[in-house]
Amino acid sequence: MLYPLLRKALFQLSPEKAHQVSMSSLHFLAQLPGGKSFLKQQFQYQGKDLSKKVLGLHFPNPVGLGAGFDKNAEHLDVLSLLGFGFIEIGTVTPKAQAGNPSPRLFRLPSDQALINRMGFNNEGVEAITTRLKKYRSQNQSDLIIGGNIGKNKVTENEDAWKDYCINFKGLEEVVDYFVVNVSSPNTPGLRALQEKEALRKIFSELQLLNKNKKPILLKIAPDLETSALDDIIQLTKEINIDGLVSSNTTLDRTLLNADNQKLAETYGAGGLSGKPLLTKSNDVLSYLHKGLESNTPIIASGGIFTGEDAKEKLDAGANLIQVWTGFVYEGPRMVKNICEYLSSSHH
Ligand SMILES: Cc1cc2nc3c(=O)[nH]c(=O)nc-3n(C[C@H](O)[C@H](O)[C@H](O)COP(=O)(O)O)c2cc1C
């Protein structure tokens, strides 16, 4: 009930500043006496009926936080208090990189959307692994942690597989599953790695390293042509891809209202997320689910705000869902709201 007010205040700040302020406030609240139990009681869904086993892992509920929200794994303790069943850290690259110059994140409130061209700003695999080791040693929670991995901007596409392998070796001990991100629009040329032979190389090299059989998923763009989706479906039948994350942000600005299309032009390049992405990402999800014949788990991402949105994804074949932009607009009770809806609709 309070969040619309809080959101109004936060939206006075730049989006990146608002993100920092929200996270610091959450850390502050959590360390007050009784703070953790207050947050848990307010925001965590306590029922056990939504737990499920996917990818061989036990998820307390199917609602996760998408990659890019906690890129450096700095906020897992407080984000888990908000009830997420799983959190995907990253995108992590081998070397630390600053990302694109600011401003690089924009709000489009009348469409409940965001545009970003962050460009994989992150502290690099070593620093992030060290932080995760510390987190693991201090916390016995049932939170599932995914490691979303990418390549450095300076790495040529033909050498990209080496970057994915470096990330894999670094993070293997500290994450529960991996996501190969070849679908961000903000690293020049990255999306070309969604091509069949490039994927075959990356996945076969990763699986050679994967002695402990950690699930390795592929995250795709919603802008792929049907023929490219067919290639990916075919590839999952030929080689070992444990699941898909569908989808990343879109380049399609026609999904915005006319005013925002003009505004978006002034913002420049970037991926669009939030409400306008829902239908488009659902279409891709349905197509993949039908093609895969239920053999490959799918984590659905794109435009989820409400329990109804989440159920639509699950009904279209998703095994798990992830939120990002919706969390900015809906606030900290979002996960609980979705879980309560799913529970009452007997998903
Ligand atoms: C600011 C921002 C940064 C993101 N960074 C990443 C990232 O580093 N890696 C990634 O795979 N996806 C990233 N994403 C994409 C989200 O994980 C998600 O797939 C996408 O935003 C669609 O979901 P949504 O409509 O719920 O936001 C980012 C999204 C936003 C808004």
Side-chain angles (χ1 to χ4, degrees), residues 65-69 71 88 90-92 104-105 114-116 118 120 148 179 181 183-184 219 245 247-249 271-275 277-278 301-305 322-327:
L65 182 62
F69 196 97
K71 286 177 185 274
E88 204 169 294
T91 294
V92 177
R104 54 193 180 175
L105 175 57
L114 295 173
I115 285 178
N116 92 83
M118 305 300 288
F120 293 170
N148 183 301
V179 175
N181 181 9
S183 49
S184 164
K219 185 165 180 178
V245 183
S247 69
N248 215 315
T249 56
L272 170 66
S273 59
K275 268 262 148 84
L277 178 57
L278 182 68
S301 160
I304 300 170
F305 280 60
Q322 285 179 330
V323 303
W324 205 126
T325 305
F327 191 52

Side-chain angles (χ1 to χ4, degrees), residues 183-228:
S183 49
S184 164
N186 303 315
T187 294
L190 189 80
R191 284 183 167 198
L193 295 172
Q194 294 178 111
E195 177 269 320
K196 211 173 174 184
E197 291 319 308
L199 288 176
R200 197 192 298 278
K201 176 72 180 166
I202 294 169
F203 273 83
S204 53
E205 293 291 342
L206 285 175
Q207 292 296 3
L208 276 178
L209 294 175
N210 191 11
K211 301 281 182 277
N212 295 316
K213 300 256 175 289
K214 289 259 151 118
I216 310 178
L217 292 78
L218 169 67
K219 185 165 180 178
I220 63 155
D223 305 320
L224 292 174
E225 306 271 338
T226 309
S227 60

Side-chain angles (χ1 to χ4, degrees), residues 65-127:
L65 182 62
F69 196 97
D70 189 7
K71 286 177 185 274
N72 295 311
E74 294 170 287
H75 311 298
L76 293 171
D77 48 351
V78 290
L79 288 169
S80 72
L81 293 172
L82 302 186
F84 290 104
F86 63 112
I87 294 176
E88 204 169 294
I89 59 121
T91 294
V92 177
T93 57
K95 290 186 219 114
Q97 58 180 37
N100 289 317
S102 298
R104 54 193 180 175
L105 175 57
F106 308 89
R107 297 185 194 100
L108 298 155
S110 60
D111 267 313
Q112 295 189 283
L114 295 173
I115 285 178
N116 92 83
R117 55 165 173 279
M118 305 300 288
F120 293 170
N121 53 309
N122 79 108
E123 292 176 7
V125 69
E126 260 181 61

Side-chain angles (χ1 to χ4, degrees), residues 104-260:
R104 54 193 180 175
L105 175 57
F106 308 89
R107 297 185 194 100
L108 298 155
S110 60
D111 267 313
Q112 295 189 283
L114 295 173
I115 285 178
N116 92 83
R117 55 165 173 279
M118 305 300 288
F120 293 170
N121 53 309
N122 79 108
E123 292 176 7
V125 69
E126 260 181 61
I128 294 170
T129 302
T130 305
R131 189 171 293 125
L132 275 169
K133 276 192 182 144
K134 191 164 164 218
Y135 174 81
R136 291 287 200 193
S137 69
Q138 292 173 346
N139 292 273
Q140 253 74 51
S141 84
D142 53 2
L143 177 74
I144 301 280
I145 303 172
N148 183 301
I149 55 179
K151 75 165 192 76
N152 278 113
K153 188 178 176 185
V154 294
T155 305
E156 299 291 340
N157 270 7
E158 60 181 16
D159 293 326
W161 63 274
K162 295 178 192 162
D163 275 15
Y164 289 93
C165 287
I166 294 169
N167 290 321
F168 182 90
K169 283 190 235 165
L171 289 168
E172 198 200 354
E173 262 180 68
V174 287
V175 301
D176 298 299
Y177 72 88
F178 281 94
V179 175
V180 170
N181 181 9
V182 282
S183 49
S184 164
N186 303 315
T187 294
L190 189 80
R191 284 183 167 198
L193 295 172
Q194 294 178 111
E195 177 269 320
K196 211 173 174 184
E197 291 319 308
L199 288 176
R200 197 192 298 278
K201 176 72 180 166
I202 294 169
F203 273 83
S204 53
E205 293 291 342
L206 285 175
Q207 292 296 3
L208 276 178
L209 294 175
N210 191 11
K211 301 281 182 277
N212 295 316
K213 300 256 175 289
K214 289 259 151 118
I216 310 178
L217 292 78
L218 169 67
K219 185 165 180 178
I220 63 155
D223 305 320
L224 292 174
E225 306 271 338
T226 309
S227 60
L229 293 177
D230 289 336
D231 276 355
I232 285 169
I233 291 166
Q234 187 54 38
L235 200 61
T236 61
K237 293 173 184 170
E238 282 172 39
I239 64 167
N240 200 351
I241 296 178
D242 297 303
L244 298 178
V245 183
S246 175
S247 69
N248 215 315
T249 56
T250 178
L251 291 173
D252 184 358
R253 299 290 165 82
T254 64
L255 303 170
L256 292 168
N257 67 41
D259 287 347
N260 279 337

